[in-house]
Amino acid sequence: MYRLKTAGMRPLRGLQAPKFSTTAAASTSSATLKALGLDSFNLGVYNGEWSGNGSIVETTNPATGEVLGAVQQASAQDLDQTLQKASKAAKMWRSVPAPKRGEVVRKMRNALNDKIEPLGRLVALEMGKILPEGIGEVQEYIDIADYAVGLSRMLNGQVIPSERPGHAMMEVWNPLGVVGVISAFNFPVAVYGWNSALSLVCGNSVVWKGSPTTSLTSVAVTKILAEVLESNGLPGALCSLACGGADIGNAIAHDKRVNLVSFTGSTKTGRDVATVVQKRFGKHILELGGNNAIIVHKDADIDLAVRSILFAAVGTAGQRCTTTRRLFLHEDIHDTFIERLIKAYGQIKVGNPLHPGVLCGPLHTEAAVQAFEQGISDVTAQGGKILHGGRALKDMPGNFVEPTITSIAHDAPVVHREIFAPILHTIKFSNLPEAIEWNNEVGQGLSSSLFTTSPENIFHWIGPAGSDCGIVNVNIPTNGAEIGGAFGGEKETGGGRESGSTSWQQYMRRQTCTINYSGQLPLAQGIKFE
């Protein structure tokens, strides 16, 4: 079970904590569930029919400890039946012309848009991010669906010149079959959206296992998609759901019927998933850890940099894979910048994510609070200082912590470890090559940003001697990626790419086709075999 303790809300030191009524909370959550067709108890398996024979998991509001509802998870037998149905549905779906598949995704997009407010509110209730971010996450699914609809008419291969007379050579893309999506708690809507929208227009069926702690969101999204499929006479198994824990995720990784496994989560678990899938020669997309850095050069726009860092480090309570965790400041501006940053942090409102003006909601679980506290302890033990924050707010219900700024050496072990909490390590540097070296020295390689007004610095940063991350920004923060570009990172981030650009190619199989219309049999490379 996923349960949180409850206690009375008290004012936060230095900030005005919003008043919160348990009765009001229950009313809000009840209305939200009803608007999405959810009850206090829900089945967590869908493959054209709703079922569930596994354990029952309660999910809670991490800001209040309120139990939101319960979901009956999938059993091993449930998953087996779901994969059977998904495999059958994929064989039908692959023959539907891609633009027609895009029309179905367009209808899903409209259905999601109709439910954007209650679904975004559910994300805020169950995950803990503030309401604008919850609604923004649903908008991200809507946006990638728009992208996928256009893509459905542009799944183009290419014509390749043949060296043999009377021959034509071309590249053809065909569907894979079944795509398994294992997503994390921090983006319980968007990550599935990236994968499912592209998978569907590419001609695949999808089997989704979301995080157990956001099971209600998984069920709500699937209900919206299922209604579209059923009303269009299509098998619901095209968008199957198998809620569950590590056992279900492990079974998806092992099953040969799953042609592609898209996994979002920790580097440790991702390494295990990749090993299992590779052993059976399946395909995988890995979106793993991030330990992202912003470099602020002495010629940077300081106002722009402070505002950017505030959201990048504190947004979603530091629980984005693209959260800024390391901040490198040029020695000429270091002291002034720190002073301004601390002042800005002092204005952050921490509290219930549904309340207006709150910028930092709770951490998702009690375990995350413990990881935060261990990180703070490690900072001081490794020679660092706490410049701001550093406390778990135990006088409030839920899992609240203070957004924290530290000063510490670039190579301290705690700096090289991703802590999924709002801890920002600040480090002084003297020149850009030094800062780039420190940016690149961690194991992760997801997102990175440089603030500068120098063209020379910009092109150094994005060039071969610059950042080694998959996302390399200039004068914008590490988070907030657009759906048009491929999202993902290198090294321990896993190398996967989702969303835009040519990411769709991962969901299809590439075939090089040569057609001989000459009546002769010339061989390539001028080989004679007569």
Side-chain angles (χ1 to χ4, degrees):
M1 297 291 185
Y2 293 81
R3 302 295 300 273
L4 303 174
K5 296 179 180 178
T6 58
M9 175 74 80
R10 298 177 185 173
L12 172 61
R13 186 185 68 175
L15 298 169
Q16 182 62 48
K19 295 180 180 179
F20 191 79
S21 162
T22 303
T23 303
S27 176
T28 298
S29 60
S30 177
T32 300
L33 295 184
K34 184 177 180 181
L36 294 166
L38 301 175
D39 297 310
S40 57
F41 173 80
N42 305 272
L43 297 173
V45 178
Y46 178 75
N47 50 37
E49 298 177 322
W50 287 96
S51 63
N53 295 285
S55 61
I56 297 173
V57 171
E58 288 181 330
T59 65
T60 60
N61 182 339
T64 66
E66 171 205 5
V67 175
L68 296 170
V71 174
Q72 186 151 22
Q73 311 285 289
S75 66
Q77 184 178 5
D78 291 330
L79 178 62
D80 179 64
Q81 292 175 348
T82 297
L83 288 173
Q84 287 182 34
K85 291 185 177 182
S87 298
K88 182 178 179 181
K91 291 176 182 177
M92 176 282 299
W93 187 238
R94 68 189 181 188
S95 297
V96 175
K100 298 295 184 183
R101 299 194 296 252
E103 277 297 296
V104 175
V105 172
R106 181 182 60 81
K107 293 176 181 179
M108 291 177 173
R109 177 253 184 239
N110 292 340
L112 288 161
N113 191 63
D114 290 343
K115 298 287 187 179
I116 189 171
E117 198 282 334
L119 189 53
R121 186 173 294 273
L122 179 59
V123 172
L125 284 165
E126 193 173 35
M127 185 272 153
K129 61 179 61 175
I130 62 175
L131 183 57
E133 287 191 86
I135 292 174
E137 182 177 342
V138 182
Q139 184 64 51
E140 195 166 348
Y141 193 163
I142 293 167
D143 290 346
I144 194 65
D146 279 336
Y147 182 91
V149 173
L151 180 66
S152 69
R153 293 182 179 271
M154 298 186 294
L155 298 172
N156 303 327
Q158 57 183 326
V159 175
I160 305 167
S162 174
E163 66 181 68
R164 290 170 284 185
H167 285 61
M169 188 160 55
M170 66 186 71
E171 185 178 80
V172 176
W173 294 91
N174 280 309
L176 283 174
V178 178
V179 173
V181 180
I182 304 173
S183 61
F185 75 88
N186 59 329
F187 280 86
V189 173
V191 169
Y192 173 66
W194 294 346
N195 285 276
S196 67
L198 296 189
S199 293
L200 288 171
V201 298
C202 288
N204 307 300
S205 63
V206 188
V207 177
W208 181 22
K209 189 208 85 68
S211 169
T213 57
T214 53
S215 291
L216 289 173
T217 301
S218 299
V219 173
V221 170
T222 301
K223 280 181 175 288
I224 293 170
L225 305 184
E227 186 174 342
V228 173
L229 292 171
E230 292 168 9
S231 65
N232 284 272
L234 293 167
L238 286 172
C239 291
S240 295
L241 176 68
C243 291
D247 57 331
I248 297 299
N250 189 51
I252 289 173
H254 276 87
D255 202 300
K256 290 184 177 181
R257 290 172 292 184
V258 182
N259 303 90
L260 168 68
V261 177
S262 175
F263 173 82
T264 302
S266 70
T267 296
K268 179 180 181 300
T269 304
R271 183 178 288 111
D272 294 338
V273 169
T275 300
V276 168
V277 175
Q278 185 61 47
K279 279 185 177 179
R280 62 176 178 83
F281 295 103
K283 297 179 69 176
H284 57 67
I285 299 173
L286 301 177
E287 295 289 357
L288 311 178
N291 195 350
N292 315 295
I294 288 179
I295 299 171
V296 182
H297 212 282
K298 61 183 177 181
D299 64 347
D301 181 330
I302 301 302
D303 289 337
L304 181 65
V306 170
R307 294 201 311 273
S308 297
I309 290 160
L310 192 67
F311 176 57
V314 179
T316 326
Q319 296 169 111
R320 289 174 175 250
C321 53
T322 53
T323 290
T324 300
R325 309 199 184 279
R326 298 176 296 146
L327 175 59
F328 300 109
L329 299 170
H330 191 275
E331 59 190 7
D332 289 359
I333 62 163
H334 176 274
D335 293 351
T336 300
F337 197 98
I338 289 291
E339 182 180 346
R340 293 188 58 175
L341 189 62
I342 290 174
K343 183 178 180 180
Y345 263 62
Q347 299 172 17
I348 295 169
K349 192 173 183 179
V350 178
N352 190 290
L354 293 179
H355 284 243
V358 169
L359 296 180
C360 184
L363 296 182
H364 190 56
T365 62
E366 290 180 341
V369 176
Q370 294 167 8
F372 169 86
E373 292 180 310
Q374 182 61 57
I376 297 301
S377 176
D378 290 345
V379 166
T380 56
Q382 294 170 21
K385 297 179 181 178
I386 305 299
L387 302 181
H388 180 86
R391 292 191 311 128
L393 299 170
K394 297 183 178 179
D395 56 344
M396 299 176 67
N399 306 315
F400 293 97
V401 300
E402 289 180 323
T404 299
I405 304 172
T406 81
S407 175
I408 193 168
H410 69 92
D411 55 355
V414 68
V415 175
H416 285 230
R417 185 176 84 242
E418 181 187 30
I419 302 171
F420 231 53
I423 300 176
L424 178 65
H425 302 299
T426 67
I427 297 131
K428 185 186 298 186
F429 73 91
S430 59
N431 58 72
L432 185 57
E434 178 181 62
I436 291 175
E437 181 182 351
W438 294 348
N439 173 80
N440 295 349
E441 70 183 356
V442 298
Q444 309 87 348
L446 180 52
S447 185
S448 55
S449 298
L450 170 67
F451 282 77
T452 183
T453 55
S454 163
E456 179 183 354
N457 290 339
I458 291 171
F459 286 99
H460 184 174
W461 173 241
I462 67 173
S467 172
D468 65 358
C469 294
I471 298 171
V472 183
N473 295 332
V474 177
N475 294 330
I476 61 170
T478 55
N479 55 356
E482 298 181 33
I483 57 96
F487 179 91
E490 301 301 318
K491 302 187 296 187
E492 292 181 7
T493 302
R497 292 297 186 275
E498 293 173 327
S499 195
S501 185
T502 58
S503 296
W504 63 270
Q505 294 178 358
Q506 297 169 108
Y507 302 90
M508 306 193 81
R509 52 187 173 89
R510 185 198 311 251
Q511 296 175 288
T512 301
C513 304
T514 304
I515 301 169
N516 179 5
Y517 59 90
S518 69
Q520 305 298 315
L521 194 61
L523 301 179
Q525 291 83 49
I527 294 173
K528 302 292 183 181
F529 193 78
E530 298 175 348

